[in-house]
């Protein structure tokens, strides 16, 4: 980052993208979430790693980083919940598939 104000602007942009990602996760719009994640990653790579003294000395940056982290935790939680629900659906599908195959094998005898 060239200047302090550019750093703050970049962190605000990362936070805004993170908020959009949270909305997409809440709406279960996974493809849009993934696209935003790629966009956010580009921004993150431009900013990080941060100089520790900047983080310690500036309250606005501390707040922005805390906000980004909090939103990211919410996104992660939603995605983990969805992941577990999807795994349960797959297990159920596989059980039904096996039952159907067994029933079909019984009819062919």
């Amino acid at each position: 980052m060239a200047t302090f104000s550019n750093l703050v602007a970049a962190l605000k942009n990362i936070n805004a993208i993170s908020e959009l990602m949270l909305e997409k996760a809440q709406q279960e719009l996974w493809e849009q979430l993934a696209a935003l994640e790629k966009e956010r990653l580009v921004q993150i790579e431009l900013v990080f790693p941060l100089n520790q003294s900047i983080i310690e000395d500036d309250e606005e940056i501390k707040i922005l980083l805390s906000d980004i982290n909090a939103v990211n935790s919410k996104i992660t939680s939603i995605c983990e919940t969805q992941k577990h629900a999807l795994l349960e659906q797959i297990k159920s599908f596989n059980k039904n598939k096996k039952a159907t195959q067994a029933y079909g094998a019984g009819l062919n005898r």
Side-chain angles (χ1 to χ4, degrees):
M1 270 303 118
T3 66
F4 180 79
S5 61
N6 286 349
L7 173 61
V8 171
L11 290 174
K12 286 180 179 180
N13 187 42
I14 291 167
N15 194 38
I17 295 170
S18 298
E19 290 286 348
L20 284 173
M21 289 173 62
L22 178 59
E23 289 177 21
K24 300 307 177 188
Q26 290 168 334
Q27 297 168 357
E28 298 184 2
L29 298 172
W30 308 117
E31 289 178 13
Q32 292 177 26
L33 173 65
L36 286 167
E37 182 181 26
K38 288 178 186 175
E39 180 182 338
R40 183 179 72 164
L41 181 59
V42 170
Q43 298 301 311
I44 288 171
E45 289 174 345
L46 293 173
V47 172
F48 289 92
L50 291 175
N51 182 324
Q52 191 64 32
S53 64
I54 292 174
I55 297 169
E56 293 170 357
D57 294 342
D58 189 80
E59 195 63 30
E60 184 176 17
I61 289 178
K62 284 182 191 177
I63 291 168
L64 283 167
L65 291 172
S66 178
D67 289 350
I68 292 166
N69 190 47
V71 172
N72 199 58
S73 292
K74 291 176 185 177
I75 295 167
T76 301
S77 178
I78 291 169
C79 290
E80 283 295 320
T81 299
Q82 183 64 24
K83 176 183 168 184
H84 291 297
L86 187 57
L87 288 173
E88 289 303 315
Q89 288 177 356
I90 290 170
K91 286 179 188 176
S92 177
F93 174 77
N94 286 336
K95 284 181 185 177
N96 290 339
K97 183 178 175 183
K98 287 179 184 178
T100 301
Q101 288 172 340
Y103 179 75
L107 289 178
N108 292 331
R109 291 184 180 179

